[in-house]
Structures are given as C-alpha cells and as structure tokens.
Amino acid sequence: MKRQRSRVRAVLAAVLAAVCVGTAAPGQARAAGPGTYAFDPDATSVQGATANAEASELDEGVAYRSTIRRGEKLYYRVTLDDDSPAYVSAVAVPGDSGPVAYGDGITVSLRDLDDTRCGSQRATFGSGGYARPITAYASRMPKEGSTVCQQGGVYDVLVERESKATSDTAAWDLELRFLKEPRPRSGASLPTEGPESWPSAAPEPPAEKPQKRSGGAGYFEATGLESGQWKDAVEPGQTRFYRVPVDWGQQLHATARLSNSPDGTTEFVGNALTLSLDNPAGGNVADASLSYSGKPTTTSLRSLPPVAYRNRFASSAHVGAMRFAGWYYLSVSLSPELKQAYGGEPIPLELVVQVENDATESPYEEGGGVFGVTDRDKEMAREGQKAADAQEGGAMALVAATGIGLGSVLVLGLGAWTLLARRRAAQAPAAAADSSGPGGHRQPPPGGPPRQGW
C-alpha cells in the first residue's frame, strides 16, 4: 500500500511540474547581462588534453563544455566512418574575461593520427577588438580519388587559442559539438563544382511593421525568426542570438539597424556593432560591422548564395559554408566601449530578415536531421520559439493532449487519493485475515512491483 501511495505522489508531481513549465510564454528570453552566455544545460563537461593520446572522445550530436587558456593547444577525439562528411565546432566564450586584441581567437582543426590536417577554420574578434562569443568548425569531406582523411577510424580535434600579451589571461569557456552529415541519395547526380554566380541584389524591405522579438543569450537559446522586421534592444557588451530556418534552394539576407542615441550624444565608437551568421554545423559564414556616432546606422551581411550542395566545392569560405539546409544563426554584439559614451542602457535594434525562393528537394537519402527544415521548424520560427521551448513542450504533451488545465489536474489528484482511501478501507478486513501464511510469515503481493518504462 505504501508503494501505491508513492506511485500516486510521483504521478501528481510529474503532471503538476509539466503544468508549471507550460506557463512560461514562448519566445521569451531569460535575463542575461553583458558577457553572459547561455550554454546548453545538457552539455557534458570534458577536459581537453595537451597530449593527443590522452584526448577524450566526443560523441556525435552531444553538446560538450570545456575551457582553454591563453596559448593552449587542446586535443579531443572523434570516430569517423568511411563516407560521411563530418564537422566539429567550437564556440569560444570569453565572457567578462577582460580585454582582447586584434587577431585574438581560436583555430579548430580536424587531423588524422599522423597529424595530417583534414580541415580547419579560424575565428577572431576582428577589428572590433572586444570579447564576444565566436565560433569555428573543422570538417572532413569524402572525395573520390583522394587518400587524405578518407578512411574511417579515430581522428584528433585540435583547438588552439591565440591571445596577445596584452590580452586577459583568464580561461575561455568552450562549447563543442560533433556532427555527421547524412549521405547523399544513392545514384543521385550531384554537382562537383561550386556556383559561378547568384542573385546579389538585396530584396525590397518587408512591408510589415517591425515586431518585438527578444534574442537569446546563446546558440541553445537563439530565438526563432522568419522573414520580417524585428525589434529588440542590446546592451553594450552584450550578444543576442537568433536563428532562421533556411531550406535547400533558399537565399538569406540579413540587415541590422542601430537606433539613434535618445539623449543626443554623438561620440564616435568604431566597430560598435558586429552582425554574425553561422551555419547549422557551427561554422562561421560571414560577419558585418558598423561604427556608431549616436545617429541611426545600418549594416548588412554580404551577398550569399542560395543553400545548395554544390556550394561546398567553392573556393570562397563564406560560399562553402552555405552548403546545407537547417537553422542558420544570427548574432548581434555591441562593443562595451559604448557604455562609456552612451551609458549602460540597451540601445534599440532592428533586424531585417528575408528568406527568398521556394524550397527545393533535399539531396539526402533520408531525413536531414539538423541539416534540413521541417514544418515544425517553420512553426517555431513563426512563433519565435527556441530549442529550449521545444524540449519544454515535450513535458506538456500529456496535459496538452487531454486539454487538462491546472484545476482539472488537482481534481483528478483528489479523485485518485479518494479512490485509494476507499480501496484501503475495503481491503483492510481481508488483509487482517489473509496476510499471514504458514508459520506467521507475511506473503508477498503477486507479480511484484511494476516495470518502469531529447
């Protein structure tokens, strides 16, 4: 009977917890001050090794957290198959670590055990010279006729940090992820050369009025956006994250507009804002920046080709990064120098996002996973949801499916307790008579406890 009471308590607690989770409004960003970064709460801690033979292995699709100090070269390991394109990304998060210099940043490379480099990417803070989250990735691409990095097996991931002598010595946090791209359809006729040209003219701005949409504090909390004009506000030293689903054949345009200073201050701050775009595998695509003198000012990402399989064969890195469909991540960072001239209050921001063209067929044999766009992704972009909102939604599935509100849940709980009490009363006389077997030993209930079944 004690076991039955415990089961009832557990069920009620789970349902009530789901109801409480569901009361949060979708698309709302958690408060995050300048320098604060929201890591994936399910990320696994892992320590980088200075000797590759001692490196910890990263599993596919799992988020990891690590740290790296100035001048360090840290190894991790992954296992690749013979024919899947593979990507390992690292987000470097200096936080409030102090000053950074021009050229400070990280390099991520993927290498075989003979130290042959398969692919690499370097990310820096650019000419802005202020700390903000930056991301880079390394890849292994199967190539017919090539013998470099083509065999399946164990590979090294090397993350290197470069910081000038004048930069802060505090450790940077790292967020690591290893992904494999699905195989192309068998027998599909796929291109082997990059695009020669694409429409480069910026489209007309959307006619709709700007809508409020608060960005998140990290890639995991990036707020969904669809085509339109969006209003937010960013504090000096803060980075806001957004994500846009871009399907095969679609072309993305993005513009950031920084508002004027309400008090009329006109002090010049160079590289005051950085607009960045990263692809679904965590690779940087393009950056744009602007200077600020208290007047309205605008910056846009360079012209990018429509998402296509052929882009991976382009010689240009920013074209090659537009190689698959999925969530593309926009981030907006404000220089902390703005605080000295304009104070610490958030500055109004407008984002103009335009996704053009109808979606074309996926080149993959099966579903693309993170390298594809689903109807659910489009819905989340329309509603301004984050990845965290999708996970929380799972906890509400039972309640939502039955249309039960909080009051109904409480009524059901009281009913369960009443039923349990009646059963106890009915079973008490029989239990007094039959509870003992030969020799006075109590007999166990038949069947034993029940089996326990993102």
Side-chain angles (χ1 to χ4, degrees), residues 25 39-40 60 85 89 97 99 102 159 163 175 177 215 238 240 290 361 366:
F39 287 89
D40 186 331
E60 180 188 0
S89 64
S97 62
Y102 176 80
V159 182
S163 296
E175 189 169 51
R177 197 177 300 269
Q238 187 179 48
R240 292 286 212 179
L290 58 79
E361 186 180 14
E366 298 179 354

Side-chain angles (χ1 to χ4, degrees), residues 116-207:
T116 300
R117 181 179 297 196
C118 311
S120 67
Q121 188 178 57
R122 176 163 172 73
T124 70
F125 301 106
S127 56
Y130 57 88
R132 58 186 177 87
I134 53 176
T135 182
Y137 74 168
S139 62
R140 189 287 299 266
M141 297 300 300
K143 297 179 181 178
E144 187 174 348
S146 175
T147 58
V148 178
C149 302
Q150 299 300 298
Q151 295 182 340
V154 175
Y155 284 74
D156 286 330
V157 178
L158 178 60
V159 182
E160 305 172 74
R161 171 181 166 183
E162 181 180 342
S163 296
K164 303 294 189 296
T166 56
S167 301
D168 192 88
T169 60
W172 295 350
D173 288 317
L174 293 175
E175 189 169 51
L176 306 166
R177 197 177 300 269
F178 164 43
L179 296 171
K180 292 180 183 178
E181 188 178 359
R183 295 180 178 88
R185 291 191 306 274
S186 178
S189 178
L190 296 173
T192 57
E193 296 181 355
E196 296 181 358
S197 63
W198 57 87
S200 58
E204 290 294 322

Side-chain angles (χ1 to χ4, degrees), residues 208-254:
E208 300 83 359
K209 294 182 179 179
Q211 301 179 53
K212 176 67 175 177
R213 192 70 58 94
S214 297
Y219 290 93
F220 180 76
E221 285 195 347
T223 301
L225 299 178
E226 61 178 354
S227 291
Q229 301 190 74
W230 309 100
K231 294 190 300 183
D232 201 354
V234 188
E235 297 179 41
Q238 187 179 48
T239 299
R240 292 286 212 179
F241 291 84
Y242 315 84
R243 60 180 190 162
V244 184
V246 186
D247 213 337
W248 296 99
Q250 294 187 322
Q251 188 174 19
L252 174 66
H253 301 268

